[in-house]
Amino acid sequence: MMFKFLTKWLFLPALIALFASCADDEEGTEFLFNREVMELSVIRGCADENDTSACYRVRFSLPIKKDDLACIRVWLDTTVVDDTSKAVSSKQIDNSTMCLEYDENGSRLADTVDLTKEVKEFLDKDYDSLQVAFFCEYSDNGDPGAVQRVFLHFKDDLLPSSVNVPDPVTWTDGAQFEWHRSTDQTDFYKPAELSGIIFGYNVVIYAEDSEEDLSDIKVILTTPEGVDSTGKKYYQRHARIRSTKDSVWVDSVSRGEKKKNVLRLAVLDGKGFDFDNDSLNRYSMTIRGLRPMSVYTIGIAAWDAVGNQSCTECLSEPKNNKRFDTTDSVAPVMPTKLYVIEDTLFPGKARLDSNNRLRIFWNMSVDPFVVDHPIESDTVVVIPDTCKFILCYDTVATYVIEHYDVIAKEWKKFDYVIGDSARYGQKFQLEKDTMMVSTRTVNKNGTAQALFVTDTIRWVSPGDTIILRIRARDKSGYYSAALIDTIYVSPGVLAAELECPEGYVPVSVNDSTKFCMERYEHRNDSGEFVYNVLHSEAVAACEAVSASGFKVSLCKERDWELVCLSGGALSNGVLVEESVNSAKSLFSYCNVGTNDSASAADISKRDYRCTNKTGVKDLPGQYQEWVIGKSEDTVAVAKGSSYKVFSGLDRESLMLCTNRSYPYFTRLGYTTDSVYLYREGAKVDTVFKADTSRTLYKVLTKKDFKDSLQFFEVQDASGNTIGEDYAPYSEYKKGGDEWLETLANGLVYVPSEVKVVFLTGSKVAYRGATAFYKSPAISFRCCAYPE
C-alpha cells in the first residue's frame, strides 16, 4: 500500500499561505490538472471476496506530477468541502477526514482507499448518498490542482424516467392520451437494470379558463391490468402521490373554488417496465366533458417505489404543461355536386385516363365555428366576405369517399388513396370548362373564391355507373351532410364502333378485329354462375345465345388470351397500380387459390379491382374457363386460374394470360405392343422399344400378357358419346355398378370391350379425359362476333 494515515501534521507558514491563496473567494487562481487525482471510481465490494458486508472503496489514478506530493486530503460529506468548490482553505484542510501520505519510492500509477469504516457513521444517520472529495497537497509552494469528487450511493436516489406524452387525439369535448410506463434504475452502480417498481403517476389537467370546473369530468383509464372508469380501482380523483423520507402514499388534495379549473389524479401502478412484452407497459387516458374550442394542459409525473419523482416542475405550474385544444361542435359544410372531365365522344359522361382512372372534383368543404354561420352550400360553398378564415371557419381534416354497391345494396368505402391526406391540399378553380390549379384564395374583386379539391377513383371500367358519396370530416370527427352524385362513365371508343349485347363489353385484339365478350363468366337466366360443366356443354350453351347481328360461341383461346393481355400491357389480365403488390392483389382481389368457392359463386362478393382495361372481370381468378382450342384437333383447353388450390403448382404461373391448362384424369399406363427384356447380370430390365446395343433376353408379345383393362364409352345426359375411358378389369368386376357410378361422376359409362395389355407400372395423364372432364372450379364465358 502506497499510503498511510497521518493523525497529525505540522504546517509550515509558507504552506499555510499557499492554501489560503486557494480560497473560493480568490479570483484568478490557476489549477494544474497534473496536480490532481483522476479517474475516480467506486468499488462497492470488499477487499476480501469472502466478506459479503457492505464495503465502499474508491479507486483513483495518482496525479501526473508526483514530485513534492506531500499528502492527498480526503473529506466525506459536504459540510467541510461543498460540491462546487475547486480549492480549499487552511481551515478546511485542518478538518479533513484523513490524509493519504504518498510513498516517494513507489512506482504505482493508481491506488485504492477503503472508506468502509468512515462511511459507517453516515449509514447509521440514514444518508441516501455521500460525497467524497480529494485534494492533493504539495510542499513546493506551487499552484495546486482542483478538488476532485466522487459520490457514494447507498439508497435509490435515482429519478424514474420522465413520461413522454405524444400529441393527444382531441375532439369537441374530450381528448385521449397515451404513455408508456416509466423505467426506473434502482441501483446507481447497475445502470443497465431499469425495471424498478413504479409506484404510480401524478396527473394534473388544467383549463385555461379559470371559471371552468373540471371536478366532475369523465375519466376513463386503461392500464395493463384493466380499465377503470370510476376512479375506484386504478386511479383516484382529487389525489396525488406524496412521499417522506421513509414512505410513499396517496393523499387527497383540496377542491377549493379557486382551483376548480385544475383536476389532479393519482394513477396507481406497482409494476416494473416489462422488456419482453411492450403491450404491458401502455397506459391510455380518455377524458370527456371539456368545453369545445378551449385550451387545456396536461402534466404527468412518475413516482418510483421509494418516492423519487420525475418531472417535478411539470406539476408545479400546470399552465406550462403540454397544451391541447378541443375542437368545435359544428359539422362541416359540403357542396352538392361533383365535377368530372368529360369525354368529347360522349358529352355528359366522364372520361377515363389511360390507366382506367376517374378524376373527380368538388368544391372545398369548410368547417364553421358557430351553428348560425352565414356560409351557404349548393354546387359550390359560398363564403361571405364578412366571414374570415380562422375567425369564422377553418379547413376540414379530410374527406371520406364511398361508392354504392348496387348488388350488395350497401355503401362501401374506397380503401385506398392515390396519395396521403395532403392530396387535398392542392386547390383548383373552375375556368370555363376546365379545372385549373389555383394559387389565389380570393377573386380579383375581393370576394371569396370557389376553390375545388380533387381525388382519383381507380379500377374504373368503361361504361360504369358509379354512385358516389363524399363527406367532409372535421378535426372533431363530425361529418358533413353527404354529397351524393352519380357519375356515368364513357363506354369508350370501342363502344362507339360496336354496340354489344347486354352483359357483354366491346373488346379488340388488333386494329381490325373487334368483338364482344361477356363481362363476367357465363350466368344463367337466374343470374347464377354456370360451372361444373363439360367443355361440350359450354360450347352448346354459348351457341344457344341469340344476339341480333352477332354469332355467339365459346370464346376462342387466342381471342381470350389477347383480351387478357390487353395489347401486351397486362400479364394477368388485371390492372395493377404501382403502389399495390401484384401477386398479393391477384390473390386478394381475384380470389385465386383461396379455396373460397362461395365467394366465386356470389357476384356480390366479387371485387371491382379484378378487371382489365376494357372492363372484362375476373380473367385470372374465381373460375378457370373453357375455351375453343387453337386448332381443330386440340383437346379442350382451360384458361386462367381459379379459387381452387392446385397442390404443387405455381399459382402465379397459372394466372398468366398465356398459360393453358389441359384437365385430365390419372390412369394406369399400358401398352399393347411387344415388350423387350434385357438381362444385366441377375437383373432383368423391361423396356418398350428394341435396343440393338444390348443383349436381348426375351420378347413378350400379346399372347404373353397377363393384364386386362375394361374400356368404357362415355356418354353425356343426352346419350351422346363424348369420349372413352378405361379401368383395370379386376376393379370393375369387383366394384360393380356402385363403383362404376363413382368413376362416372354424373356421366354414363357403357362397357365397350376388354383389352389384354401389359401394364407399365406407371401412371399417366390421360388427356383424352378432357372431353368428359368437369369440375366445380371450371366455368366459361361466351364471345359475340359480328356477322
Side-chain angles (χ1 to χ4, degrees):
M1 183 76 175
M2 296 175 58
F3 294 99
K4 61 183 178 180
F5 292 104
L6 301 182
T7 57
K8 189 174 181 179
W9 199 19
L10 297 178
F11 293 94
L12 297 174
L15 187 60
I16 295 174
L18 168 64
F19 281 102
S21 68
C22 295
D24 287 348
D25 57 355
E26 188 73 23
E27 295 183 2
T29 303
E30 294 185 2
F31 299 102
L32 303 181
F33 75 91
N34 62 352
R35 287 181 173 237
E36 59 194 38
V37 297
M38 296 176 290
E39 300 176 358
L40 292 136
S41 61
V42 177
I43 303 173
R44 212 166 31 161
C46 298
D48 181 359
E49 294 181 357
N50 296 320
D51 188 348
T52 58
S53 58
C55 296
Y56 293 90
R57 296 180 292 153
V58 178
R59 183 172 177 79
F60 54 88
S61 296
L62 292 165
I64 297 173
K65 181 172 176 54
K66 298 179 181 63
D67 297 341
D68 303 314
L69 175 60
C71 174
I72 297 179
R73 291 282 177 175
V74 181
W75 294 267
L76 273 67
D77 198 7
T78 57
T79 55
V80 179
V81 178
D82 63 30
D83 56 3
T84 61
S85 60
K86 295 291 185 182
V88 292
S89 64
S90 57
K91 183 179 179 180
Q92 289 170 305
I93 288 177
D94 289 340
N95 288 293
S96 64
T97 303
M98 63 182 66
C99 183
L100 307 177
E101 186 181 44
Y102 175 64
D103 182 359
E104 295 184 359
N105 297 323
S107 60
R108 299 177 64 178
L109 301 178
D111 217 320
T112 302
V113 57
D114 193 336
L115 301 175
T116 303
K117 180 179 179 181
E118 286 71 21
V119 164
K120 186 176 186 305
E121 66 173 288
F122 296 97
L123 291 174
D124 295 340
K125 295 178 182 179
D126 202 26
Y127 270 55
D128 290 337
S129 61
L130 184 68
Q131 171 190 265
V132 181
F134 292 79
F135 183 78
C136 297
E137 290 190 56
Y138 285 84
S139 58
D140 61 357
N141 204 28
D143 290 332
V147 175
Q148 301 298 310
R149 300 171 182 78
V150 70
F151 290 87
L152 306 180
H153 294 265
F154 308 135
K155 297 181 179 179
D156 178 9
D157 60 350
L158 302 169
L159 308 183
S161 63
S162 296
V163 176
N164 178 32
V165 183
D167 291 335
V169 177
T170 59
W171 53 90
T172 303
D173 67 344
Q176 183 179 48
F177 306 88
E178 294 184 347
W179 75 89
H180 275 69
R181 173 181 285 127
S182 297
T183 56
D184 183 43
Q185 180 184 343
T186 59
D187 190 333
F188 177 84
Y189 302 104
K190 296 179 180 180
E193 295 184 9
L194 298 172
S195 56
I197 300 298
I198 300 298
F199 183 85
Y201 306 88
N202 276 341
V203 180
V204 58
I205 302 168
Y206 166 86
E208 185 179 63
D209 184 354
S210 60
E211 294 302 314
E212 183 174 356
D213 190 349
L214 300 181
S215 299
D216 297 321
I217 62 172
K218 181 73 172 178
V219 177
I220 302 174
L221 177 70
T222 302
T223 76
E225 303 298 321
V227 179
D228 185 357
S229 59
T230 62
K232 296 180 179 179
K233 192 170 185 180
Y234 300 120
Y235 78 91
Q236 295 182 28
R237 301 173 71 95
H238 310 293
R240 66 186 305 174
I241 300 170
R242 298 181 184 273
S243 70
T244 58
K245 195 72 175 176
D246 58 355
S247 62
V248 187
W249 75 97
V250 177
D251 195 9
S252 61
V253 295
S254 63
R255 303 167 58 181
E257 183 67 20
K258 292 183 178 180
K259 294 184 178 181
K260 64 182 180 180
N261 63 325
V262 177
L263 174 64
R264 295 185 182 275
L265 307 170
V267 176
L268 306 180
D269 189 346
K271 298 287 182 68
F273 194 90
D274 193 317
F275 287 92
D276 296 323
N277 187 350
D278 185 59
S279 66
L280 298 180
N281 300 314
R282 298 178 182 176
Y283 285 78
S284 173
M285 178 179 288
T286 301
I287 55 178
R288 298 182 183 276
L290 306 179
R291 292 179 180 175
M293 297 184 65
S294 299
V295 177
Y296 301 89
T297 68
I298 186 170
I300 303 177
W303 287 68
D304 66 14
V306 297
N308 300 309
Q309 69 160 314
S310 67
C311 192
T312 305
E313 65 281 1
C314 75
L315 298 177
S316 58
E317 290 292 337
K319 66 180 181 181
N320 297 326
N321 291 337
K322 186 179 186 68
R323 171 174 168 166
F324 64 96
D325 299 359
T326 52
T327 57
D328 68 89
S329 58
V330 183
V333 177
M334 195 72 183
T336 59
K337 181 182 177 181
L338 286 173
Y339 292 82
V340 296
I341 302 172
E342 288 192 356
D343 190 337
T344 54
L345 283 175
F346 296 90
K349 295 189 176 182
R351 175 170 59 85
L352 301 179
D353 69 8
S354 59
N355 203 32
N356 286 57
R357 294 177 174 181
L358 171 66
R359 189 83 175 268
I360 58 173
F361 300 85
W362 64 92
N363 185 217
M364 180 181 68
S365 170
V366 296
D367 183 27
F369 292 151
V370 294
V371 176
D372 56 345
H373 59 79
I375 302 172
E376 298 179 357
S377 176
D378 195 351
T379 58
V380 295
V381 175
V382 180
I383 305 172
D385 295 341
T386 56
C387 194
K388 302 299 182 185
F389 180 66
I390 294 302
L391 298 177
C392 178
Y393 68 94
D394 198 356
T395 58
V396 297
T398 189
Y399 298 90
V400 177
I401 304 178
E402 300 165 299
H403 70 283
Y404 187 70
D405 189 324
V406 294
I407 297 175
K409 296 182 179 180
E410 63 182 6
W411 291 101
K412 292 184 178 180
K413 185 179 178 180
F414 283 115
D415 56 354
Y416 64 84
V417 291
I418 293 297
D420 53 25
S421 58
R423 67 191 183 280
Y424 301 122
Q426 189 176 49
K427 303 298 186 293
F428 296 81
Q429 184 179 18
L430 182 61
E431 296 183 3
K432 296 183 180 180
D433 296 328
T434 307
M435 286 289 181
M436 304 294 293
V437 175
S438 176
T439 57
R440 298 180 298 173
T441 57
V442 295
N443 290 323
K444 294 179 180 179
N445 60 6
T447 60
Q449 182 184 13
L451 296 177
F452 293 79
V453 293
T454 185
D455 208 334
T456 304
I457 312 299
R458 302 188 286 184
W459 293 289
V460 180
S461 298
D464 277 354
T465 297
I466 305 176
I467 303 174
L468 291 176
R469 180 171 74 176
I470 303 178
R471 293 176 292 167
R473 188 177 65 198
D474 66 13
K475 299 168 186 175
S476 309
Y478 287 104
Y479 286 93
S480 68
L483 186 172
I484 300 177
D485 207 349
T486 301
I487 305 298
Y488 299 96
V489 180
S490 166
V493 177
L494 283 175
E497 303 174 5
L498 190 62
E499 187 175 348
C500 291
E502 184 178 355
Y504 290 69
V505 295
V507 295
S508 173
V509 295
N510 53 50
D511 293 338
S512 59
T513 304
K514 301 175 180 63
F515 58 96
C516 303
M517 178 181 278
E518 284 192 285
R519 185 184 296 273
Y520 293 95
E521 298 96 327
H522 190 70
R523 289 180 287 170
N524 59 26
D525 294 339
S526 299
E528 299 168 332
F529 286 104
V530 179
Y531 53 86
N532 199 28
V533 295
L534 301 171
H535 183 270
S536 58
E537 292 172 335
V539 171
C542 289
E543 291 178 348
V545 175
S546 177
S548 179
F550 293 91
K551 180 182 180 182
V552 183
S553 71
L554 186 65
C555 292
K556 300 171 185 175
E557 180 182 359
R558 186 57 176 165
D559 291 342
W560 192 101
E561 189 172 292
L562 291 175
V563 170
C564 181
L565 290 168
S566 296
L570 309 176
S571 59
N572 300 99
V574 173
L575 289 164
V576 177
E577 292 284 339
E578 292 180 0
S579 60
V580 180
N581 178 277
S582 176
K584 182 178 179 180
S585 67
L586 288 167
F587 301 148
S588 301
Y589 306 157
C590 298
N591 194 25
V592 174
T594 64
N595 269 341
D596 184 1
S597 59
S599 291
D602 188 347
I603 193 171
S604 68
K605 295 181 180 180
R606 298 288 185 96
D607 197 302
Y608 63 90
R609 288 169 289 194
C610 190
T611 185
N612 79 342
K613 295 175 73 67
T614 54
V616 179
K617 307 287 186 180
D618 302 303
L619 288 169
Q622 306 294 1
Y623 296 107
Q624 281 191 299
E625 300 177 31
W626 287 124
V627 294
I628 297 175
K630 295 178 182 179
S631 60
E632 292 296 330
D633 60 348
T634 302
V635 294
V637 175
K639 299 290 287 185
S641 188
S642 73
Y643 67 82
K644 189 175 181 180
V645 175
F646 293 94
S647 179
L649 297 180
D650 181 7
R651 290 192 297 178
E652 293 187 44
S653 297
L654 284 173
M655 290 185 294
L656 293 174
C657 297
T658 53
N659 184 74
R660 58 202 320 239
S661 301
Y662 303 98
Y664 60 82
F665 292 131
T666 300
R667 296 291 185 253
L668 295 176
Y670 72 92
T671 182
T672 56
D673 297 327
S674 298
V675 178
Y676 301 88
L677 305 180
Y678 295 93
R679 184 189 294 277
E680 294 183 0
K683 179 182 177 182
V684 175
D685 188 16
T686 304
V687 298
F688 307 103
K689 187 177 180 180
D691 186 352
T692 57
S693 65
R694 304 170 68 182
T695 303
L696 182 65
Y697 168 68
K698 188 176 182 180
V699 177
L700 300 179
T701 60
K702 191 173 182 177
K703 62 180 178 63
D704 302 308
F705 295 166
K706 306 296 184 182
D707 305 315
S708 58
L709 296 175
Q710 175 68 59
F711 283 77
F712 305 93
E713 182 182 293
V714 184
Q715 298 176 351
D716 61 18
S718 301
N720 300 314
T721 300
I722 56 175
E724 183 182 64
D725 201 0
Y726 65 88
Y729 178 75
S730 58
E731 288 187 17
Y732 167 58
K733 295 303 289 181
K734 181 180 179 180
D737 292 340
E738 185 176 343
W739 172 85
L740 191 57
E741 284 184 16
T742 304
L743 182 68
N745 190 28
L747 299 172
V748 178
Y749 268 51
V750 179
S752 57
E753 64 173 320
V754 177
K755 291 184 180 180
V756 178
V757 299
F758 184 90
L759 295 178
T760 63
S762 62
K763 290 187 177 181
V764 297
Y766 180 47
R767 286 190 178 178
T770 55
F772 52 89
Y773 185 99
K774 58 181 180 179
S775 165
I778 297 182
S779 180
F780 63 97
R781 73 179 77 211
C782 304
C783 288
Y785 298 93
E787 291 183 330

